[in-house]
Amino acid sequence: MQHHAYSRLGSLGGAAAAAPSPPSSPRRAWGRKASAKGAATSAAARAGAAGAGAGRARRAARAVLAALLRRQAVFLFAPLLYVAAMLLYMGSLSLDGVPRIISRPAPGSMYRSPQLYARLRADMDADNATDALATVWRHAYKGGVWQPCIRNNTYGLPEPNGYIYVEANGGLNQQRTSICNAVAVAGFLNATLIIPNFHYHSIWRDPSKFSDIYDADHFVQSLKNDVRVVDKVPEFIMERFSHNMSNVFNFKIKAWSPIEYYRDAVLPKLIEERLIRISPFANRLSFDAPPAVQRLRCLANFEALKFSKPITTLSDTLISRMRAKSTENNGKYVAVHLRFEEDMVAFSCCVFDGGDEEKKELDVARERGWRGKFTRPGRVIRPGAIRMNGKCPLTPLEVGLMLRGMGFSNNTSIYLASGKIYKAEKNMAPLLEMFPLLQTKETLASDEELAPFKNFSSRMAAIDYSVCVHSEVFVTTQGGNFPQFLLGHRRYLYGGHSKTIKPDKRRLAILFDSPRIGWKSLRRQLLNMRSHSDAKGIQMKRANESIYSFPCPDCMCRSNKSEHSKPIQAR
């Protein structure tokens, strides 16, 4: 009754009544309600001992919760308390019945090609009806579009601004890049080029000079209307430097520098000194350059650089022998560039199936060739990730699987361009089973014929290069300067088209790691890969791609009156 009367009084007070007090906080209101409920429970609890105990427990729980609400930071420790409780609980259990989680390697991260070959070999041998060499490639190049990237010079050469001496470093094709870039820079700066000196490399260990590998007279004659080339610096110039090349100012130029850098930084010093040196000189000029500079690169690479007479003579002999051994295919053969030498396998840091012995051997090879590079603190090497990324060199077995899957029958003549294969007796056996007509320069030539070249890696590489250029199909397996130059050289010789197979090695890693793939499925996917390589063989050069790989006309064969088209005359 009092409660209802109070309510009516509050509602009838009108404007004169005081404003109602604000509602209590939820915490306090809950506490009052809880207290009322607790009082009722206490009254009932006096009727029995069990009821009294339950009331005390509830009051204790409410007291704890109220304290936690007042100190909310305590909840930060709740996860720690939970984890501690779980650890105590798990420690009291036996783990014998808990299922183990088995971690499986990612697809493509393992070298399982030997198992795949053993499983598919019978089906592969039974499927030998078609031959890719006899098949017309789908993407034949449409003639009438491509034209050579070289045009004859239409202007004379002014007085030179000085002499440029360069030291080319690296292997055969890195040196080739240096020579072509040196010709382009010398022509652009209107300088006389000294025939490049080859820097002795600790890996290739080849002391060959320019004239040992290339025809020096042909080089000078081919460039005479575009760039002056001499075999040595004149005496009157060397007198200024006490006949010591180390006294000559040496430019340290960053890799891939634009041609404008040579105009702005190198040319003034050239005019001042009359002789400058650039060492090292590998990859010191950007791929992206004005048309006149690109034309000089093309002229040097595809016309001026001709191998020396001894190399050319033996190469022509080996080409004739390969064609004679390919009579079943009308003299056509496939050239494969296989990079599976010990230094390449070691540098890749990939793991094959050699176990501990392989690891020890390759660790020694890495330390011998690249002291400390792979063992420095913080260096993490993940062979599985390297393989999945398509960075592992293809083994001879994988090359055989790939080619058979692409439709090349076992009567295909193959020329293998390679150095000394790592563990050749073991690793070459499956490739020879798949392609018994395989040849190398060592099997085609006699010991007497190879003797003048055997201890010179660049000369041996030049022989391989020449035989590969004239093959019907060229297969690259690892990338690098050698296949890139060959790809472009073959385009230049064969009207813009290059029958070159450049496989998708990421895709290959997954295919060769497939435990359930059948021969027909593998073959279908590899034929698609070959078709894709063929389509890429006719594409035009894109920005920042090498002119040595894409000697296409719309990149540099524009009017000679364009910017930088004429040599810079002396000031």
Side-chain angles (χ1 to χ4, degrees):
M1 287 295 292
Q2 290 178 350
H3 175 73
H4 293 300
Y6 182 81
S7 299
R8 281 197 303 273
L9 180 62
S11 62
L12 296 173
S21 60
S24 303
S25 69
R27 189 177 63 198
R28 293 181 181 276
W30 177 84
R32 285 196 297 269
K33 291 178 183 177
S35 297
K37 187 181 292 185
T41 304
S42 297
R46 283 190 292 268
R56 284 194 297 271
R58 278 192 287 271
R59 281 196 300 274
R62 283 196 296 272
V64 171
L65 288 174
L68 290 175
L69 285 170
R70 285 194 297 270
R71 298 288 186 272
Q72 294 181 15
V74 174
F75 282 114
L76 294 175
F77 296 97
L80 296 176
L81 294 172
Y82 175 78
V83 171
M86 289 302 296
L87 290 174
L88 289 172
Y89 173 70
M90 293 299 293
S92 65
L93 294 178
S94 172
L95 297 179
D96 294 339
V98 179
R100 289 182 298 168
I101 299 175
I102 300 174
S103 177
R104 289 187 172 86
S109 63
M110 301 291 290
Y111 176 63
R112 293 199 174 103
S113 302
Q115 294 92 319
L116 181 68
Y117 175 54
R119 184 165 56 81
L120 299 183
R121 184 177 177 185
D123 292 335
M124 179 195 304
D125 291 341
D127 182 18
N128 201 40
T130 61
D131 188 359
L133 274 176
T135 306
V136 177
W137 286 41
R138 184 184 305 172
H139 303 281
Y141 191 81
K142 297 178 180 178
V145 178
W146 188 89
Q147 56 182 310
C149 62
I150 298 170
R151 291 179 178 175
N152 293 329
N153 188 7
T154 58
Y155 48 81
L157 292 176
E159 283 299 311
N161 292 323
Y163 293 82
I164 293 180
Y165 174 88
V166 301
E167 290 185 357
N169 58 317
L172 175 72
N173 294 286
Q174 195 171 5
Q175 290 171 346
R176 192 180 186 105
T177 304
S178 300
I179 296 166
C180 298
N181 287 345
V183 169
V185 169
F188 177 71
L189 298 182
N190 185 30
T192 298
L193 177 66
I194 313 300
I195 284 185
N197 181 52
F198 290 167
H199 179 71
Y200 182 82
H201 198 282
S202 59
I203 298 295
W204 287 274
R205 300 179 182 179
D206 188 341
S208 297
K209 305 300 181 186
F210 185 96
S211 58
D212 295 323
I213 300 173
Y214 298 105
D215 186 332
D217 292 336
H218 178 81
F219 183 73
V220 173
Q221 282 297 113
S222 299
L223 296 172
K224 67 179 182 180
N225 293 328
D226 297 270
V227 181
R228 291 181 179 86
V229 182
V230 296
D231 61 352
K232 63 180 182 178
V233 182
E235 286 293 318
F236 75 93
I237 294 289
M238 287 304 298
E239 287 178 1
R240 294 182 53 201
F241 303 97
S242 301
H243 296 277
N244 188 347
M245 190 60 71
S246 63
N247 293 333
V248 178
F249 182 83
N250 183 32
F251 267 97
K252 296 291 186 180
I253 297 177
K254 292 182 180 179
W256 316 115
S257 292
I259 193 66
E260 290 77 15
Y261 173 83
Y262 289 88
R263 178 194 61 200
D264 299 336
V266 178
L267 179 61
K269 196 70 175 178
L270 172 68
I271 294 173
E272 176 188 348
E273 297 286 332
R274 300 293 294 166
L275 171 64
I276 61 168
R277 182 164 61 106
I278 307 177
S279 176
F281 194 71
N283 302 324
R284 292 303 190 268
L285 180 60
S286 169
F287 284 144
D288 188 16
V293 174
Q294 301 286 50
R295 186 186 73 85
L296 288 175
R297 279 170 151 170
C298 274
L299 179 62
N301 189 44
F302 301 115
E303 296 293 340
L305 283 178
K306 178 183 176 182
F307 289 123
S308 63
K309 187 67 174 177
I311 292 174
T312 302
T313 300
L314 181 58
S315 298
D316 290 345
T317 299
L318 300 191
I319 291 168
S320 298
R321 291 174 186 172
M322 275 304 302
R323 287 172 175 165
K325 292 179 179 294
S326 309
T327 52
E328 290 187 24
N329 293 298
N330 299 316
K332 298 176 180 179
Y333 61 92
V334 176
V336 178
H337 181 224
L338 179 62
R339 291 304 315 275
F340 205 70
E341 303 91 348
E342 183 181 69
D343 64 324
M344 185 70 236
V345 177
F347 186 82
S348 72
C349 294
C350 298
V351 173
F352 297 94
D353 60 349
D356 291 339
E357 181 184 354
E358 174 189 291
K359 183 181 184 305
K360 291 177 183 177
E361 288 180 353
L362 297 182
D363 282 345
V364 170
R366 278 188 281 268
E367 190 62 22
R368 181 175 62 244
W370 302 274
R371 191 174 302 278
K373 178 181 177 68
F374 298 98
T375 56
R376 65 173 180 260
R379 179 75 183 258
V380 178
I381 298 173
R382 298 184 177 90
I386 297 171
R387 185 173 299 281
M388 291 168 62
N389 253 344
K391 301 297 184 182
C392 289
L394 292 182
T395 67
L397 186 153
E398 290 173 328
V399 170
L401 279 173
M402 179 185 75
L403 292 179
R404 288 298 298 271
M406 288 181 173
F408 295 94
S409 65
N410 64 0
N411 66 351
T412 301
S413 293
I414 291 183
Y415 179 82
L416 195 70
S418 175
K420 184 179 179 181
I421 300 297
Y422 175 62
K423 292 188 176 296
E425 186 175 351
K426 170 192 172 184
N427 289 318
M428 285 296 295
L431 180 58
L432 289 169
E433 289 172 354
M434 288 182 268
F435 293 98
L437 300 182
L438 183 143
Q439 303 288 338
T440 66
K441 53 187 174 293
E442 288 82 7
T443 61
L444 285 172
S446 66
D447 290 339
E448 292 76 14
E449 289 173 318
L450 276 181
F453 311 96
K454 266 196 171 178
N455 295 322
F456 304 95
S457 59
S458 291
R459 300 183 210 183
M460 295 285 273
I463 294 170
D464 278 340
Y465 185 100
S466 300
V467 181
C468 290
V469 162
H470 296 287
S471 63
E472 178 70 9
V473 178
F474 173 65
V475 182
T476 172
T477 65
Q478 184 60 17
N481 290 317
F482 187 95
Q484 292 303 321
F485 269 107
L486 268 169
L487 189 149
H489 209 146
R490 289 164 57 80
R491 282 195 176 110
Y492 183 80
L493 291 176
Y494 303 127
H497 186 67
S498 178
K499 291 184 180 179
T500 301
I501 294 176
K502 189 176 182 181
D504 182 347
K505 292 175 63 181
R506 287 191 180 97
R507 183 63 185 155
L508 282 180
I510 295 174
L511 288 176
F512 293 157
D513 190 29
S514 302
R516 296 183 182 86
I517 194 168
W519 172 246
K520 289 183 178 179
S521 176
L522 178 66
R523 189 175 187 275
R524 182 176 63 253
Q525 297 194 55
L526 289 174
L527 283 171
N528 288 336
M529 190 180 294
R530 191 200 86 181
S531 178
H532 182 63
S533 287
D534 185 35
K536 288 168 65 178
I538 63 172
Q539 70 185 12
M540 290 291 97
K541 178 181 179 294
R542 297 184 293 270
N544 295 324
E545 285 187 313
S546 170
I547 196 68
Y548 310 121
S549 299
F550 294 92
C552 59
D554 53 348
C555 305
M556 80 297 295
C557 291
R558 302 167 187 163
S559 170
N560 281 336
K561 295 180 180 179
S562 62
E563 183 185 5
H564 307 312
S565 62
K566 292 186 178 181
I568 301 173
Q569 298 189 29
R571 299 170 184 173

